[in-house]
C-alpha cells in the first residue's frame, strides 16, 4: 500500500529571542490602552447610531468581557497619555510593532524585566536606550496615576449615576477623533450597526 508523504507542519508563530510572527510580522499592534480606547469608541459610536435610529443593541457577552478586561489591564486611561506613550514607542524604529505594543502594555520597571518578558529586545536596543524608554513610560504612568487620584474623588459620585456598562472617556470627542484618524474603524463600527 502506497502512502503519500505528509505535508510539513505549518510554521508556528514564535515569540522568543527571534520573532517569527508569520503573516503578522509587519502588522501594527496595539497596546491594551490603545485597544481599550478604540473598542470603547466603536461601542460608543454604535450605541449613538442605534439611539438615533431608535434601536437598542444587546452587546455580545464576549465584547462586554473584552471591555472589562481592557478596563482592568490597560495601564493608561487618558487619550492624551496613550498618545504620548505611543509617540515615545514609535520613536524607536528598530523595534518591531509587536515589541512596541508589549512594552506599552507591560510597563516594565527595568531593563532586565523587559528583556525577560520580551526576549527579542536583547539585540535590538541598548540597555541605556531601553532604560530611557522605560523611564519615560513609567513617568507617564506616574503622572496619570497622580492626576487620576485627584480626579477620582470628584468623579466617584458621578460614576454611580452612569447608565453605561462601558468605559467613559474623558473627552467627549474621542470617538469622532478616532474615526477621523482611523477610517477602517469607522467602517467596522458603521458596518456592524446597519
Amino acid at each position: 500500500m502506497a502512502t503519500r508523504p505528509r505535508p510539513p507542519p505549518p510554521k508556528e508563530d514564535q515569540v522568543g529571542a527571534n520573532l517569527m510572527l508569520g503573516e503578522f510580522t509587519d502588522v501594527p499592534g496595539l497596546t491594551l490602552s490603545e485597544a481599550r480606547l478604540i473598542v470603547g469608541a466603536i461601542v460608543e459610536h454604535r450605541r449613538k447610531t442605534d439611539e438615533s435610529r431608535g434601536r437598542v443593541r444587546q452587546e455580545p457577552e464576549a465584547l462586554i468581557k473584552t471591555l472589562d478586561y481592557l478596563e482592568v489591564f490597560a495601564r493608561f486611561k487618558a487619550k492624551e497619555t496613550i498618545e504620548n506613550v505611543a509617540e515615545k514607542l514609535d520613536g524607536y524604529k528598530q523595534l518591531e510593532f509587536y515589541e512596541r505594543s508589549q512594552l506599552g502594555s507591560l510597563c516594565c520597571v527595568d531593563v532586565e524585566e523587559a528583556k525577560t518578558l520580551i526576549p527579542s529586545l536583547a539585540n535590538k536596543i541598548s540597555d541605556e536606550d531601553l532604560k530611557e524608554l522605560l523611564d519615560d513610560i513609567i513617568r507617564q504612568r506616574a503622572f496619570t496615576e497622580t492626576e487620576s487620584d485627584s480626579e477620582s474623588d470628584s468623579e466617584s459620585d458621578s460614576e454611580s449615576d452612569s447608565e453605561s456598562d462601558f468605559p467613559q472617556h474623558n473627552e467627549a470627542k474621542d470617538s469622532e477623533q478616532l474615526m477621523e484618524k482611523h477610517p477602517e474603524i469607522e467602517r467596522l463600527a458603521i458596518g456592524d450597526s446597519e
Side-chain angles (χ1 to χ4, degrees):
M1 173 178 202
T3 61
R4 291 185 280 167
R6 289 186 179 177
K11 286 188 176 180
E12 291 186 26
D13 298 342
Q14 293 183 358
V15 180
N18 295 316
L19 286 178
M20 292 190 288
L21 301 176
E23 65 185 287
F24 299 105
T25 298
D26 294 322
V27 175
L30 298 173
T31 64
L32 293 175
S33 300
E34 291 169 319
R36 175 188 165 273
L37 194 63
I38 290 171
V39 173
I42 290 171
V43 168
E44 186 65 21
H45 179 78
R46 287 169 41 176
R47 186 186 62 76
K48 287 179 182 178
T49 303
D50 287 347
E51 280 180 4
S52 69
R53 294 179 180 169
R55 289 193 249 167
V56 176
R57 176 190 300 263
Q58 179 64 37
E59 297 294 353
E61 183 180 351
L63 177 60
I64 293 169
K65 287 183 178 184
T66 299
L67 285 168
D68 289 344
Y69 176 88
L70 293 171
E71 186 64 31
V72 171
F73 292 105
R75 303 291 184 152
F76 307 102
K77 309 293 186 197
K79 182 177 183 239
E80 182 179 315
T81 308
I82 294 167
E83 289 173 347
N84 289 342
V85 171
E87 186 177 307
K88 294 206 182 299
L89 290 166
D90 288 344
Y92 290 84
K93 299 295 183 195
Q94 70 270 36
L95 300 179
E96 300 290 331
F97 290 121
Y98 170 83
E99 295 159 335
R100 291 183 219 167
S101 65
Q102 290 301 302
L103 286 169
S105 292
L106 296 172
C107 293
C108 301
V109 293
D110 60 35
V111 171
E112 183 180 336
E113 179 184 18
K115 288 188 174 184
T116 299
L117 294 174
I118 312 165
S120 59
L121 293 174
N123 298 320
K124 290 193 178 173
I125 186 170
S126 69
D127 287 355
E128 295 79 24
D129 287 344
L130 183 55
K131 175 78 172 129
E132 182 181 329
L133 174 60
L134 295 175
D135 288 346
D136 285 344
I137 293 171
I138 290 169
R139 270 192 293 279
Q140 289 292 323
R141 187 164 179 215
F143 174 74
T144 302
E145 288 174 355
T146 303
E147 190 176 82
S148 68
D149 287 344
S150 64
E151 291 176 2
S152 65
D153 294 334
S154 63
E155 291 179 3
S156 60
D157 295 333
S158 64
E159 283 180 10
S160 60
D161 297 336
S162 175
E163 294 179 18
S164 176
D165 293 328
F166 304 107
Q168 298 297 312
H169 302 292
N170 293 337
E171 299 177 28
K173 296 185 179 181
D174 277 356
S175 60
E176 289 84 9
Q177 290 172 346
L178 280 168
M179 299 302 170
E180 289 173 11
K181 191 173 181 181
H182 300 283
E184 68 277 8
I185 293 171
E186 184 172 16
R187 285 193 302 276
L188 286 171
I190 292 171
D192 286 344
S193 64
E194 294 182 336

